[in-house]
Amino acid sequence: MQKVVEKPHKAELPKKLDVPPSKRSAISAPQFVILTVPLKNGPGSPLVIHAFSAKARAIMREAQEAGSVGRKRRPKDPKNFDEVYQGARHISRDGWDGATCATFRNSMISACRLVGFKMTIGKLSVFVEADGNSAADGTPLVRILGEPVPFEAPVRNASGVADIRVRPRWDTWTANLRVRYDREQFSDEDVINLIVRAGAQCGIGEGRPDSSNSFGQGWGLFEIDTNLPIQLYEVPAPKIEFMRSTGR
């Protein structure tokens, strides 16, 4: 294997080496592109989001800090449904609602199986750019445009006990999804195809068809808004050079 820098034969390195242009080598950086794709909800498919609330994290932390004392049965506080609803929303530092970048990215990577792409290559090549970050924990978010409403649903916990959960739900929503990808691995058409498949067959959020816990409820589906343009931006590749020195 060829070495980048060869040591000179002398014990001391020369102070300055005049390296001709022919001895300079360039690094091949990946060709990244950002597609801005306008999305809208699929027909009859609401978006339901569930953020892990700061209150739930605080309760878990308090119980762990208490140790064995925390395992003793304590009186259960009345459930504040509005507080639970607000805690289940991803609110950015600027005050808008969003969905995590990871949920869109995971949906696209999962869709790789539908079109014969390797998911391992998708994990290394496809990324979702954030519009902002969660005010609660800094999670990267994609802004969801629309008005959420409280949605109550009866569920059965893992213990078998019935419960009522309240979550934010969007019956109509839009988003501008910015996808950054390696053009040497995926073409522009490949990425558009992944977005279409992810929206029509995988979905995002609660009750999505691609859920690992159930068969889904048909929620969280989306499609490209063909009434709006798709924008493409080629990310300039960094210019990296190194020089090969030879001994004298």
Side-chain angles (χ1 to χ4, degrees), residues 3 9 17 23 34 36-37 41 47 52 63 68 73 84 94 133 140 148 169 172 175-176 183 195 199 220 227 233:
K3 295 181 179 179
H9 298 295
L17 294 175
K23 295 294 184 179
I34 295 178
T36 302
V37 184
N41 60 285
L47 173 62
F52 200 80
S68 60
R73 193 172 186 84
V84 174
D94 295 325
N133 297 84
R169 185 189 71 195
T172 303
N176 290 311
R183 218 179 204 175
I195 296 174
N227 294 319
Y233 170 71

Side-chain angles (χ1 to χ4, degrees), residues 114-159:
L114 300 172
V115 290
F117 295 150
K118 293 182 179 179
M119 294 177 64
T120 52
I121 300 298
K123 290 169 63 176
L124 301 175
S125 305
V126 178
F127 308 91
V128 173
E129 298 287 286
D131 296 323
N133 297 84
S134 168
D137 55 15
T139 299
L141 301 176
V142 174
R143 185 173 186 177
I144 300 297
L145 302 174
E147 291 298 327
V149 295
F151 170 60
E152 295 184 9
V155 299
R156 193 167 295 278
N157 297 330
S159 61

Side-chain angles (χ1 to χ4, degrees), residues 39-192:
L39 302 180
K40 62 181 181 178
N41 60 285
S45 180
L47 173 62
V48 180
I49 294 294
H50 176 204
F52 200 80
S53 68
K55 179 180 179 181
R57 287 195 298 269
I59 293 175
M60 290 179 60
R61 181 182 179 88
E62 181 182 353
Q64 293 177 13
E65 289 178 340
S68 60
V69 178
R71 299 192 184 103
K72 295 182 180 180
R73 193 172 186 84
R74 296 181 179 180
K76 191 173 183 179
D77 296 331
K79 180 181 288 187
N80 186 329
F81 284 89
D82 182 67
E83 185 179 18
V84 174
Y85 164 70
Q86 297 296 341
R89 299 166 66 184
H90 288 291
I91 304 296
S92 75
R93 293 167 181 166
D94 295 325
W96 44 259
D97 279 274
T100 64
C101 293
T103 191
F104 284 101
R105 180 172 179 263
N106 294 345
S107 183
M108 294 178 62
I109 293 172
S110 184
C112 288
R113 297 174 293 176
L114 300 172
V115 290
F117 295 150
K118 293 182 179 179
M119 294 177 64
T120 52
I121 300 298
K123 290 169 63 176
L124 301 175
S125 305
V126 178
F127 308 91
V128 173
E129 298 287 286
D131 296 323
N133 297 84
S134 168
D137 55 15
T139 299
L141 301 176
V142 174
R143 185 173 186 177
I144 300 297
L145 302 174
E147 291 298 327
V149 295
F151 170 60
E152 295 184 9
V155 299
R156 193 167 295 278
N157 297 330
S159 61
V161 178
D163 194 7
I164 296 177
R165 303 286 176 84
V166 57
R167 302 285 183 259
R169 185 189 71 195
W170 286 259
D171 294 322
T172 303
W173 62 274
T174 61
N176 290 311
L177 187 67
R178 294 184 296 141
V179 181
R180 178 170 55 90
Y181 58 96
D182 186 348
R183 218 179 204 175
E184 295 178 353
Q185 303 296 333
F186 292 93
S187 68
D188 304 338
E189 292 76 12
D190 290 337
V191 174
I192 293 296

